[in-house]
């Protein structure tokens, strides 16, 4: 087996790509082109608040990834209903951010509401799944370890000790312009 063929085989084992066809393929191509035009429009003609722009960027990328990447190696190429549910769950938090931006800016990390925590958890879970599908299990495991460290820091020894934070505060900070929607997402 040639080296190039082996590399492609290993890549498909790690990130099983779904080959969609028909109307699903056309819709995904349209979404991909719309995403590109949206980014050009907002960067050149009509700038948006970074939190909203990054939220839309993450939502569009999540939709494409949930539709083009299989959840596991042996899944068939048809997009299952749970991937459609995940795409909807990836989009709704961005709508929530756009509608509640001013309130979110004044309360994140300090006094999150129940809905802030719910939508924040949904973003975290869908982002972990997007990451798992595209780069494998290592990065999501590392992310979960650091989230757990934020919660269980009061049980850590020596220099790793901190007072620990409750779930609403961790989620609220991650669901902000200082967390998931910070500079790395803006650069992407």
């Amino acid at each position: 087996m040639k080296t190039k063929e082996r590399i492609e085989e290993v890549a498909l084992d790690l990130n099983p790509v779904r080959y969609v066809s028909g109307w699903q393929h056309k819709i995904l191509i349209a979404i991909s082109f719309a995403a590109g035009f949206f980014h050009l429009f907002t960067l050149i003609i009509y700038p948006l608040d970074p939190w909203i722009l990054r939220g839309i960027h993450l939502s569009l990328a999540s939709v494409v990834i949930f539709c083009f990447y299989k959840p596991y190696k042996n899944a068939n190429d048809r997009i299952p209903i749970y991937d459609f549910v995940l795409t909807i769950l990836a989009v709704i938090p961005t709508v929530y951010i756009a509608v509640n931006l001013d309130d979110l800016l004044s309360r994140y990390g300090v006094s999150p509401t129940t809905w802030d925590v719910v939508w924040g958890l949904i973003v975290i879970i869908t982002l972990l799944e997007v990451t798992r599908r595209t780069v494998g299990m290592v990065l999501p495991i590392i992310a979960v370890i650091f989230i757990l460290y934020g919660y269980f820091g009061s049980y850590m020894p020596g220099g790793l000790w901190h007072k620990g934070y409750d779930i609403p505060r961790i989620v609220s900070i991650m669901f902000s312009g200082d967390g998931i929607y910070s500079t790395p997402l803006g650069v992407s």
Side-chain angles (χ1 to χ4, degrees), residues 1-11 13:
M1 182 179 289
K2 294 182 181 179
T3 306
K4 183 178 178 184
E5 292 171 352
R6 179 68 183 138
I7 290 170
E8 289 174 0
E9 181 182 316
V10 169
D13 282 347

Side-chain angles (χ1 to χ4, degrees), residues 126-146:
T126 56
L127 183 57
L128 287 171
E129 177 59 12
V130 162
T131 306
R132 184 194 68 80
R133 287 188 188 196
T134 54
V135 297
M137 285 297 296
V138 175
L139 192 55
I141 288 171
I142 292 170
V144 168
I145 288 170
F146 278 102

Side-chain angles (χ1 to χ4, degrees), residues 42-86:
T42 57
L43 291 173
I44 297 169
I45 298 170
Y46 189 78
L48 290 175
D49 181 273
W51 200 351
I52 295 172
L53 177 62
R54 293 169 184 171
I56 293 171
H57 173 75
L58 180 61
S59 294
L60 291 170
S62 297
V63 167
V64 171
I65 288 167
F66 283 133
C67 293
F68 277 129
Y69 284 85
K70 297 177 184 179
Y72 50 91
K73 181 180 173 182
N74 296 326
N76 63 26
D77 284 339
R78 210 172 123 249
I79 301 174
I81 191 74
Y82 57 82
D83 278 345
F84 285 115
V85 171
L86 286 170

Side-chain angles (χ1 to χ4, degrees), residues 67 72 89 141 149 154 165:
C67 293
Y72 50 91
L89 288 175
I141 288 171
Y149 173 67
S154 61
Y165 299 100

